Amino acid sequence: MIQRIQSIYLLLTTLASVLFLPSDFLRFTEKEGIKFIMNFKGVYKISGEQSFEQIGKMIPVSVIAVIIPLISVLAIFLYKHRKLQVKLTFAIIILEFILIALIIYYWSVYIKSYGTQLSPGFWMV
C-alpha cells in the first residue's frame, strides 16, 4: 500500500525509466542522409531501410539505465524505513545526473566523429 507521496514519485520514476530502456532517445542525421540512433545498447548507423550497424557501445549508460528502475522499485518497498528510502532516492537523483552527463558526452563524441546533426524527437525530453 502506498502511504507516502514519495512512493508515488518513485513509482513514476520506475515507469519512466522502464519506458526509457527500449526507446531510441537520440537521433542524428548526416549530410548524405545517413541516420544514426542512440539507445541504451549503443549507437547504430542506419544506412538503408533495414541495415543497422552498431558503431559504438555505451556500457556505462546501459548499466545506469538498468540500475535506476531497480533501485526505484527497491525504494518503494522500503516505505517503513524512511531514512533508507530517502538515501536511495538521493542515489537515484545522482545516477540520473550521471546518466544525463554520459548521454551528453557520447552525443558530443559522435557529433564530432561523424559530422552529424541532432534530429529533435520526443524521447530527447
Side-chain angles (χ1 to χ4, degrees), residues 6-70:
Q6 62 261 33
S7 296
I8 294 172
Y9 292 139
L10 287 167
L11 180 65
L12 291 174
T13 301
T14 304
L15 292 174
S17 298
V18 168
L19 289 174
F20 179 75
L21 289 177
S23 67
D24 302 331
F25 47 88
L26 289 180
R27 293 179 179 265
F28 311 101
T29 54
E30 203 173 47
K31 292 179 183 177
E32 291 86 32
I34 298 172
K35 296 180 181 180
F36 297 86
I37 59 171
M38 181 185 292
N39 58 24
F40 92 103
K41 296 177 189 174
V43 178
Y44 294 89
K45 181 178 181 180
I46 306 171
S47 54
E49 288 297 320
Q50 299 296 329
S51 175
F52 285 93
E53 175 188 352
Q54 187 173 15
I55 58 171
K57 293 185 178 181
M58 300 186 317
I59 294 172
V61 171
S62 302
V63 169
I64 293 174
V66 170
I67 288 175
I68 289 172
L70 294 176

